[in-house]
Amino acid sequence: MTAPGTPSTSPGNAVTLDADLAKRIRLVGLDVDGVLTEGGIYLGDVNGARIEFKRYDIWDGLGIKMLQFAGIEVAIITGRVSEAVSLRAAELGITEVVQDPHARKLSALRKLIAAKGIHEQDVAFVGDDLPDLAVLRVVGLPVVVGNCTADVANLGLRLTRNGGRGAVREFAELLLRARGEWDALVEKYVTSRSEEGLI
């Protein structure tokens, strides 16, 4: 039997989320490689300068904006340093970005939430692999993408979509629907894009 508040999978492989658990979440932390991207990176050299490119999913970006519309803070915590991450974060209005080449994600998260007065149980984190393991073990809502590694697969809510292919959007919609906020946020979004003079 599933414990109260634990995410579950229903017949047809649909993921469900407890409303009380969803309503507790104040911050959503995201890994990058394997979560916001499919895990691949493009490395090159232009006139002696190292260039790194990543592919991001537009659906994920809109999911992040919907979380922000709901007043949920979004943070990026990644174990690689890349200007591509800084550019995408700025584009989405994500101000909390930790890029630690040593992948010390748990200490980064704890420092971040302590500064904001947020408890670990009020945090969701979306990961996919070993560098995310320590964080996934302590947050209130651990989430993994559909193509995560076996080591993290059973830690919490497992999405049906793969990293970089709409997994973050799936989670955002799942969380906001469980909170009873999705439909109103959709209307808010549509209205904001229908007003004259908006760019």
Side-chain angles (χ1 to χ4, degrees):
M1 183 170 180
T2 305
T6 302
S8 62
T9 302
S10 61
N13 210 28
V15 181
T16 60
L17 183 58
D18 178 75
D20 290 335
L21 174 59
K23 289 175 181 176
R24 267 204 339 252
I25 300 304
R26 295 177 55 196
L27 181 141
V28 173
L30 302 171
D31 176 37
V32 175
D33 298 306
V35 171
L36 284 173
T37 77
E38 68 275 4
I41 57 173
Y42 300 90
L43 290 176
D45 182 286
V46 178
N47 296 326
R50 176 183 177 272
I51 303 294
E52 179 175 319
F53 294 96
K54 297 178 187 288
R55 176 200 173 276
Y56 295 99
D57 190 287
I58 293 299
W59 282 15
D60 287 344
L62 187 51
I64 288 169
K65 297 309 290 185
M66 297 299 269
L67 291 170
Q68 293 168 332
F69 284 166
I72 299 170
E73 186 150 11
V74 178
I76 288 175
I77 302 176
T78 179
R80 286 180 53 82
V81 178
S82 169
E83 184 61 22
V85 173
S86 299
L87 290 170
R88 185 59 172 153
E91 190 174 58
L92 293 172
I94 300 173
T95 57
E96 300 296 346
V97 180
V98 179
Q99 300 190 67
D100 181 354
H102 304 291
R104 293 169 295 207
K105 296 185 181 185
L106 182 56
S107 59
L109 175 69
R110 285 181 165 156
K111 182 177 179 181
L112 174 64
I113 63 176
K116 295 179 176 295
I118 298 174
H119 298 290
E120 290 174 355
Q121 288 303 304
D122 300 329
V123 174
F125 188 83
V126 187
D128 73 306
D129 202 357
L130 293 177
D132 306 311
L133 192 54
V135 173
L136 291 168
R137 284 177 173 168
V138 302
V139 295
L141 179 51
V143 183
V144 295
V145 297
N147 61 332
C148 66
T149 63
D151 296 282
V152 300
N154 297 315
L155 285 180
L157 182 141
R158 185 167 184 180
L159 301 168
T160 63
R161 290 185 173 270
N162 291 345
R165 300 290 178 179
V168 173
R169 170 61 177 272
E170 179 186 357
F171 172 63
E173 186 170 344
L174 181 69
L175 181 70
L176 295 172
R177 284 191 185 279
R179 291 164 66 106
E181 300 175 5
W182 178 259
D183 292 338
L185 288 166
V186 168
E187 291 309 310
K188 179 180 178 181
Y189 175 82
V190 171
T191 299
S192 74
R193 296 305 182 268
S194 303
E195 296 172 358
E196 294 292 334
L198 289 178
I199 298 175

